[in-house]
């Protein structure tokens, strides 16, 4: 049993056990875990490879800078978490929201002036997490949010949902 293997599986969503159709619990074997990780292209043959993969997996979300998608309730401020290297935090950035119906909103911000979050070193360079709050979008639907960070425009789908489900 490898603690690093189990931690890696937890990170990538491989469950430690499952229940079959008869309600019987089955533990996932280390061999099965390694096979699933291998099928995902993650090296895990040794403890050292698992530790390297854990670090790479954890750093990947920080290097992405923006989440792949943001789902938020409409009619409430939109909270977006950004990850940036410290050297880019003082630069003025811009955002543009393109709604499903074509309406647009835009603005500017400086990451170092935003609400700070965690800090992490990636390859010896400090990276910081910042929380950007955008004005509410009143229309539910599939919108697009584009953010210009350090001269590069990055975008993500913004899915706005009602604050609560319909109760019949």
């Amino acid at each position: 049993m490898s603690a690093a293997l189990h931690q890696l599986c937890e990170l990538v969503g491989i469950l430690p056990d499952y229940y079959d159709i008869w309600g019987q619990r089955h533990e996932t074997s280390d061999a099965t875990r390694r096979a699933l990780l291998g099928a995902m292209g993650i090296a895990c043959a040794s403890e050292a490879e698992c530790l390297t993969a854990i670090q790479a997996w954890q750093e990947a979300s920080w290097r992405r800078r923006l989440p792949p998608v943001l789902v938020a309730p409409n009619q409430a401020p939109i909270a977006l978490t950004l990850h940036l290297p410290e050297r880019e935090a003082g630069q003025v950035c811009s955002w543009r929201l393109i709604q499903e119906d074509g309406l647009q909103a835009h603005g500017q911000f400086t990451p170092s002036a935003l609400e700070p979050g965690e800090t992490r070193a990636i390859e010896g360079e400090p990276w910081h997490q910042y929380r950007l709050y955008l004005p509410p979008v009143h229309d539910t639907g599939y919108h697009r949010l584009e953010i210009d960070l350090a001269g590069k425009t990055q975008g993500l789908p913004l899915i706005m949902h009602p604050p609560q489900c319909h109760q019949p």
Side-chain angles (χ1 to χ4, degrees):
M1 178 166 109
S2 162
L5 175 64
H6 290 222
Q7 183 183 359
L8 179 58
C9 286
E10 185 177 331
L11 278 173
V12 303
I14 296 173
L15 298 175
D17 57 14
Y18 66 94
Y19 290 87
D20 64 22
I21 62 170
W22 296 280
Q24 294 290 100
R25 182 180 169 273
H26 300 273
E27 270 193 48
T28 310
S29 70
D30 284 357
T32 299
R33 294 171 198 226
R34 290 184 197 283
L36 290 169
L37 289 166
M40 295 169 70
I42 301 172
C44 60
S46 68
E47 186 85 3
E49 283 185 342
C50 287
L51 291 171
T52 299
I54 289 168
Q55 182 177 355
W57 190 269
Q58 290 171 334
E59 289 178 358
S61 66
W62 282 70
R63 290 181 188 276
R64 192 180 300 121
R65 298 177 185 231
L66 298 174
V69 66
L70 182 61
V71 179
N74 71 329
Q75 302 179 10
I78 300 164
L80 176 67
T81 300
L82 309 169
H83 297 107
L84 293 171
E86 190 173 82
R87 64 183 152 73
E88 296 176 11
Q91 298 178 20
V92 176
C93 301
S94 61
W95 60 268
R96 182 169 57 138
L97 174 66
I98 304 125
Q99 293 188 30
E100 201 172 51
D101 61 6
L103 288 175
Q104 295 188 20
H106 57 86
Q108 291 186 323
F109 64 96
T110 303
S112 60
L114 299 175
E115 179 184 315
E118 295 177 41
T119 298
R120 162 170 279 165
I122 299 178
E123 295 178 2
E125 181 179 18
W127 281 60
H128 301 283
Q129 187 180 69
Y130 300 99
R131 195 82 159 165
L132 173 63
Y133 292 95
L134 300 174
V137 173
H138 297 286
D139 295 331
T140 59
Y142 295 85
H143 312 295
R144 177 115 184 118
L145 180 60
E146 294 178 347
I147 301 199
D148 182 24
L149 299 168
K152 289 177 120 177
T153 301
Q154 298 184 19
L156 67 144
L158 176 61
I159 302 170
M160 302 305 294
H161 63 81
Q164 59 186 4
C165 293
H166 171 71
Q167 298 290 323

